[in-house]
Amino acid sequence: MLKLRDRWPRLGLAFSGLTLAACGGGTTDPPPPPPPPPLASGCGGVATPSVSATLDLTPGQHVTLDAAADVRAFRLAGGDSPRDYQVIVQSASQAPGQSVDGCMRIRAERASGNVTPSRAPRLTPTGGELNRNLQRRVSWFERERLLRERDLRELAAVGAQPVRPGARGLHPPSLADARRPPDLGDTLSFRIGVGANLVVNCRNPTTVTGEVRYAGEHFTIVEDLQFHDQPDSDRFSTEDFEAIGRQLDEVVYPVDVAYFGEPADIDDNGTVFALITAEVNKLTPAGEQSVVAGFFLARDLTTRSSCAASNEGEIFYLVGPDPDEDFGADISLNFAHGLARSTVAHEFAHLLNTQQRVTLGGGNIFGDREVAWLDEGMAHLAEEVAGLRAAGLGTRANLDLDMITASEEQLAIYNHFHVVNQIRLGRFLRGGCPTPDPNGPAATRVLGDAAGEDPGGVESLAFRGFAYGFARWLGDQFGAPGSGGALPGSREEELFRYLTSGGPAHFKGITNVERTLQTVAGVNMEWEEVLSLYLTSLIADDRVPAAADPRTQWSTWNLPGLYRQLSESNLGDNCPFTRVFPLTPSRMNLHVSTNSSTEFTMNSSTGRYFSLVSSGAAPGLILEVMDRAGADLPPRARAQVTILRTR
């Protein structure tokens, strides 16, 4: 967990033959003289092809090349003073689970003067593990992924049908069916069809009876009667339920609804249930390191006549405190308290996304749901915006760690809502933990496995980090500006409400992003350009001159400042915070004899980062991107290269 130490928190936690996307006043030279003799080895050892594009960029300017000939070989002009670049070789492929092997060769055209000797990049040694509870929070989404996949498979097996507003199932009411909000002290029954080893079924549900412990304007919290046999010291108190409930009502509900749409209220009772049940605790055996914190099940939005385990209503299932391991792994009161807040923000976004597409939108519960990466990106964004609202902060404030942990209250909010997202994003930028992949962000299957699903395992954390970061950057860049929004700073929720539904046609994934930008933001932009800007922002934010393209910036977070402060906190010994910034491009020092090649692998919609640095006069450079045999990268890679001059 994050604590305060003095001021620092401690965490427990376009030209001829060239496609141009540039900002600034760069120029383009005519084609250069014939290149030097070809290399004898490296990247296939083939002769350099003709160079059709020469770039002479100004500091802060970036260009993206996507024509095959330009990607294959291009020239960076030299100069009498130092020139530094970030080069991002990208696969703009939209095919999930696909990767491509490549190689980049860089060599100088002429002497560069006084330069820094070439050396290999140094990777900071990894430190220890995160504290136990933070580690458990980071990893529990692996179990959530399995649970949701199995739930959908079971619904398909039984032919489950969604509840439509005004046409509920005909099964006799036996659960929380009263057509009114429940009162404090009411006893309600629910069905849950999840058992040991995350086995799910529609046919033989377990009935759980609980007592209403909080009855608010939007949320009702029910405590499983199984917890009543525990000592009062091991249970949430009346004050705990009130505190959790008020945050759900006053923070989570308004911001999630503003961003992702109104719930359908298919049970006509005007409330959303949060059931804290020992049945969730039982899903994590004692001693397990990855805890099931809670979940939303799509089955509860289907008719009970087609899935007997359906509650035909808006409901979440949450883990309860169990410090003595009566039902499963030990869950302290404080840990359960924090999980209840952040888990509902995340799972409520999943519920609203499904209802906008299926329940209210008339879509198919199997075919019209959002793809995994974008669905998870918005759900993790829901955690962030709930945390901002709880702390009285807004978007587009260029926040760093100091700014968001200025008080003990804000510190607790940061621990509940933000730190885990920054761990996931850091893991994506770093290329994994504890040992970073040399390909960095390109190592992650950001669009999912071959079926487009969450890849699972530790890679799931980086997968979610890409998605969360993309959603945040998208809101920063294309959300409506101005006041009067759900949060101070912007009205970006309008963008996400449309993205949640996918519009009348229920577009999904990349197509959904493109159509939402067109419809809501009035921007006609294809995925290749969106991707290049996002990937550039990860290395350019708050690092380039003010004249740089603002689309390469984040405005809600100051990424380098945030991660530098995290590395200087007590979390600095923990991956991904062991570096000043998690993303460390392969560094190449430029000098008179620069002549190097680097092999790489990159997954769909990712990029391999290279940092080109000179300390004296900058040489002219020839850069080649190819497969490992020296041929063009395959068309399926949809290769493109972004070059950003930073100095």
Side-chain angles (χ1 to χ4, degrees), residues 135-174:
Q135 187 179 8
R136 295 164 92 189
R137 285 181 60 199
V138 169
S139 61
W140 81 266
F141 286 104
E142 164 67 6
R143 290 174 174 246
E144 181 213 28
R145 175 190 71 87
L146 289 173
L147 187 57
R148 295 180 70 202
E149 287 181 3
R150 292 173 181 180
D151 184 42
L152 287 177
R153 284 201 297 267
E154 176 71 359
L155 293 178
V158 302
Q161 297 298 313
V163 176
R164 303 297 184 188
R168 301 179 69 227
L170 301 178
H171 194 283
S174 60

Side-chain angles (χ1 to χ4, degrees), residues 20-44:
L20 174 67
C23 177
T27 61
T28 302
D29 296 339
L39 295 174
S41 63
C43 293

Side-chain angles (χ1 to χ4, degrees), residues 266-393:
I266 58 176
D267 44 8
D268 298 323
N269 58 12
T271 195
V272 177
F273 287 105
L275 174 61
I276 298 176
T277 172
E279 298 304 314
V280 176
N281 293 68
K282 295 174 185 178
L283 300 178
T284 307
E288 285 278 346
Q289 291 302 305
S290 176
V291 63
V292 177
F295 47 84
F296 145 73
L297 294 176
R299 67 181 53 199
D300 288 316
L301 306 183
T302 66
T303 62
R304 201 171 302 142
S305 57
S306 63
C307 177
S310 173
N311 286 299
E312 288 191 332
E314 291 81 8
I315 180 172
F316 306 97
Y317 308 88
L318 300 174
V319 70
D322 184 20
D324 296 329
E325 300 185 326
D326 293 326
F327 303 105
D330 66 291
I331 304 291
S332 70
L333 274 168
N334 286 339
F335 188 36
H337 200 288
L339 287 175
R341 304 176 186 216
S342 58
T343 301
V344 172
H346 180 101
E347 298 299 331
F348 194 27
H350 281 314
L351 184 152
L352 293 173
N353 192 314
T354 302
Q355 288 206 319
Q356 302 312 305
R357 291 172 170 270
V358 178
T359 313
L360 297 171
N364 183 290
I365 198 167
F366 308 111
D368 289 325
R369 298 181 70 189
E370 185 54 272
V371 298
W373 74 268
L374 190 52
D375 191 23
E376 293 298 346
M378 288 190 284
H380 289 303
L381 182 74
E383 301 166 18
E384 180 212 86
V385 294
L388 292 176
R389 182 180 175 94
L393 299 170

